[in-house]
Amino acid sequence: MQKVYYLQTCDTCRRILKEVNLAGFEKQEIKANPISVKQLEELHQLSKSYEALFNKRAKLYKSMDLKNQDLTETDYRQYLLDEYTFLKRPVFVVDDTIFIGNSPKEIERLKAKLGQ
């Protein structure tokens, strides 16, 4: 399976999607088509952590003052299901490997996996 979860309005996502050869990838725009419980469980199985999938740079994270709360994995899971903006993006799934976020190191790992 090759899939990418992204946000169309995110400049960083758009830049990365142009950088990576997406031939054969299923694309899911998370605002128009939010991730389902089943999809989130699949991502969790690969990442082993809801917190790893959670975007702590989201404006909503700051406005809800979540950084000053002691969040559990269950909390992260619920926030991810409730609000698309909390998913760290983009998220690429290539076979049984997950690539989360936009750090240069993560994008280089993705490109190496894809042979680009």
Side-chain angles (χ1 to χ4, degrees):
M1 175 174 99
Q2 292 187 319
K3 185 163 186 168
V4 59
Y5 299 89
Y6 70 101
L7 186 58
Q8 186 63 45
T9 55
C10 171
D11 291 337
T12 304
C13 283
R14 287 199 306 261
R15 176 183 54 79
I16 292 168
L17 293 178
K18 286 179 186 172
E19 271 181 46
V20 177
N21 179 1
L22 296 176
F25 270 85
E26 178 185 343
K27 297 182 220 165
Q28 182 170 335
E29 205 283 335
I30 59 173
K31 185 175 183 180
N33 187 11
I35 61 172
S36 67
V37 172
K38 182 177 184 240
Q39 289 170 325
L40 183 58
E41 295 306 320
E42 289 168 355
L43 295 177
H44 179 261
Q45 208 166 16
L46 294 170
S47 68
K48 307 289 186 243
S49 165
Y50 291 112
E51 185 175 5
L53 295 164
F54 194 84
N55 180 8
K56 292 183 179 177
R57 297 169 77 189
K59 289 178 185 174
L60 197 54
Y61 180 76
K62 292 178 178 97
S63 70
M64 292 174 70
D65 198 35
L66 295 178
K67 71 177 179 179
N68 293 319
Q69 297 180 31
D70 191 18
L71 299 177
T72 65
E73 280 288 289
T74 304
D75 295 329
Y76 286 120
R77 179 184 184 278
Q78 193 57 53
Y79 283 122
L80 285 163
L81 290 171
D82 289 346
E83 184 60 47
Y84 71 89
T85 193
F86 284 131
L87 182 66
K88 194 182 284 189
R89 48 194 190 269
V91 175
F92 288 88
V93 177
V94 180
D95 303 323
D96 58 354
T97 307
I98 191 167
F99 303 88
I100 304 166
N102 57 36
S103 74
K105 182 180 169 187
E106 197 72 352
I107 300 308
E108 287 308 310
R109 275 187 57 234
L110 170 65
K111 288 179 178 178
K113 174 81 173 176
L114 295 173
Q116 297 180 13

